[in-house]
Amino acid sequence: MAHFGVVAPAFYSHFNALGALAGELVQRGHRVTFVHRPDARAYVADPRIGFHAVGAATHPPGSLDAVLRRAANPGSPLGLRRVILDMAGSTDMLCRELPRAIDALGIDALIADQMEAAGALVAEGLGLPFVSVACALPVNREPGIPLPVMPFDYAEDERARAIYEGSTRVYDWMMTPHRRSIEANARRLGLPARDALHDCLSPLAQVSQTVAAFDFPRRALPPHFHHVGPLRPTGTHAGSANRHFMPAIAAGKPFVFASLGTMQGGRLALFKRIARACRALDAQLLVAHCGGLDAHQERALEAAGATWVCGFANQQAVLERADAVVSHAGSNTIMDAIAARTPILALPIAFDQPGTAARVVHTGIGLKASARLTGSAQLARLLRRLLDEDGFRTRLDAMAESVASAGGTVRAADIIEAALQGARRPLAMDAASLG
């Protein structure tokens, strides 16, 4: 059995998805340890999964909250640059600390989140096998496909291609601090030149939480890229979400679920607009703010029209009952909504959410609007369309079948085990030939 190290951004949603995968590997007899800054320990709730803290000198306990606040609401261009510097600082720290941690822990292989280059760089530098996992939209680039962070609809005409190429150049310029970090650490680890996340992907196996039917048409993904669908807990730990809130939903009235994820859950003004929209529709509304609101704000939201307000909901169970979901277009919520056949109103805010929202519209499984500019009256009109028009659910039926057959966590674990076995076999042959 192998000891896997997991390297990911210090975000709850990424640790949550990779934690489900880690749990499946543990059930198969493997050992799994997450490695990151001390504060990230709070994201590893499964006692079967290890955590090893690194980088306390530069990323001390208590410092992650400020990073998360900046990432959730960067504000000005200077704020966005600070977020990018945070990314670069995390990559620098992990590239510096991981080799010692891997040696001390006796790690055999890495599971590297696509959004953190350090896992791939260090694994390659040490000659360790590694698998890349896309918890968000895949960063794999190809001509004619806009970057995941871009809000563009899909088109194949020359104007669209020019927009995609121009936006990519702007993005790469903005990401210069992170590019410099990747370049410098690649040199220090003795690797060939590379400068972006898409240059730091596994040659053995790449796993994505999405399904091909949800993405724009892809023609250049490598043969070792696998769409497996949502990574969710399996076995005896699959029911852990049952401790979260589940409302008593009344029959005969529409039921809407609203969640903006763990990083955006403090946006009271946006939640109020959603609540007023649902009140205008005479719809039941459950808001899950993921710990972003206090008790006073919860009461204010109820006064605005929310039927129930909670910190965390049993998301998969709630979505199975919901007639529509209002989401920030985070990958976890969107994939759960697809699996539950729930029409989506996407209000993207940051990261790859604009790209995810564009795919929601492209596939016809929902609608999108501006989280900042859309008022409650327009939100109500959009929700009314989701509730009344059968086409959204018809298209969701087909996509949900794709998710159900993708394999999820079990298939992802199969792929990782096969990749590790394949990586070990040539090493064994080389040793035999030397003997």
Side-chain angles (χ1 to χ4, degrees):
M1 294 292 102
H3 185 184
F4 291 97
V6 182
V7 182
F11 295 152
Y12 173 82
S13 59
H14 288 249
F15 270 60
N16 191 47
L18 291 168
L21 177 56
E24 173 65 21
L25 290 169
V26 168
Q27 285 178 190
R28 299 179 181 206
H30 300 290
R31 183 181 172 195
V32 183
T33 303
F34 280 74
V35 183
H36 217 300
R37 62 194 297 160
D39 288 340
R41 183 185 298 273
Y43 297 152
V44 182
D46 188 335
R48 304 171 303 161
I49 300 170
F51 181 85
H52 183 80
V54 296
T58 54
H59 295 67
S63 61
L64 180 57
D65 283 348
V67 173
L68 297 178
R69 285 195 299 271
R70 287 192 291 267
N73 189 20
S76 67
L78 287 177
L80 180 58
R81 181 174 175 80
R82 179 65 245 186
V83 172
I84 296 167
L85 288 170
D86 286 338
M87 292 175 62
S90 180
T91 297
D92 286 340
M93 180 274 287
L94 288 169
C95 284
R96 183 177 64 249
E97 300 285 348
L98 278 172
R100 287 193 296 270
I102 288 169
D103 181 62
L105 295 167
I107 286 172
D108 303 301
L110 288 184
I111 298 171
D113 192 304
Q114 280 196 352
M115 292 302 296
E116 175 49 74
L121 292 172
V122 171
E124 189 172 347
L126 297 179
L128 282 180
F130 73 100
V131 172
S132 301
V133 179
C135 293
L137 288 178
V139 302
N140 304 66
R141 293 189 184 185
E142 64 181 88
I145 302 293
L147 296 183
V149 296
M150 298 301 171
F152 307 123
D153 296 329
Y154 179 75
E156 296 183 344
D157 57 86
E158 288 302 316
R159 179 176 179 275
R161 285 179 173 268
I163 290 172
Y164 302 161
E165 292 170 5
S167 67
T168 298
R169 288 193 294 271
V170 172
Y171 172 84
D172 286 342
W173 173 77
M174 292 176 62
M175 292 296 292
T176 295
H178 197 231
R179 172 178 57 79
R180 288 173 177 163
S181 170
I182 293 173
E183 286 177 339
N185 283 294
R187 283 196 303 271
R188 188 172 59 80
L189 290 163
L191 302 177
R194 61 205 60 199
D195 60 12
L197 291 172
H198 69 282
D199 295 323
C200 304
L201 301 177
S202 172
L204 297 176
Q206 300 172 23
V207 173
S208 171
Q209 273 209 106
T210 59
V211 292
F214 179 68
D215 204 351
F216 294 146
R218 291 279 197 164
R219 302 177 180 88
L221 290 173
H224 56 281
F225 186 99
H226 307 275
H227 293 96
V228 303
L231 299 174
R232 300 295 178 264
T234 59
T236 57
H237 285 254
S240 60
N242 290 333
R243 68 185 185 276
H244 297 325
F245 182 72
M246 181 70 191
I249 303 162
K253 293 176 65 173
F255 170 51
V256 177
F257 175 52
S259 172
L260 302 177
T262 52
M263 293 183 64
Q264 307 293 345
R267 292 178 178 265
L268 178 61
L270 178 53
F271 276 132
K272 282 184 174 180
R273 279 182 273 143
I274 297 167
R276 294 186 187 109
C278 288
R279 172 177 281 171
L281 297 172
D282 194 26
Q284 303 168 92
L285 171 65
L286 169 63
V287 171
H289 57 73
C290 302
L293 303 179
D294 59 29
H296 175 75
Q297 292 170 319
E298 288 183 344
R299 290 192 295 272
L301 195 48
E302 290 170 349
T307 316
W308 307 277
V309 182
C310 67
F312 291 88
N314 186 340
Q315 179 162 286
Q316 290 171 281
V318 166
L319 284 168
E320 288 174 1
R321 296 288 306 278
D323 298 296
V325 59
V326 184
S327 168
H328 61 311
S331 291
N332 286 324
T333 305
I334 296 301
M335 296 310 298
D336 283 344
I338 292 171
R341 296 170 165 83
T342 307
I344 301 158
L345 176 52
L347 306 177
I349 298 170
F351 306 111
D352 69 332
Q353 295 158 21
T356 303
R359 286 157 176 80
V360 166
V361 174
H362 173 74
T363 55
I365 61 174
L367 301 168
K368 68 175 181 179
S370 168
R372 186 168 63 92
L373 301 176
T374 308
S376 57
Q378 177 64 5
L379 291 173
R381 286 191 288 271
L382 294 170
L383 281 170
R384 174 52 65 194
R385 285 190 58 194
L386 295 178
L387 295 172
D388 290 350
E389 297 178 18
D390 293 336
F392 297 109
R393 287 192 177 274
T394 300
R395 289 182 287 270
L396 275 162
D397 284 342
M399 193 171 296
E401 292 298 326
S402 178
V403 169
S405 63
T409 308
V410 172
R411 182 168 172 237
D414 290 342
I415 291 165
I416 289 171
E417 287 183 323
L420 181 59
Q421 184 177 7
R424 284 173 164 173
R425 189 177 298 115
L427 296 177
M429 292 174 61
D430 289 344
S433 66
L434 291 172

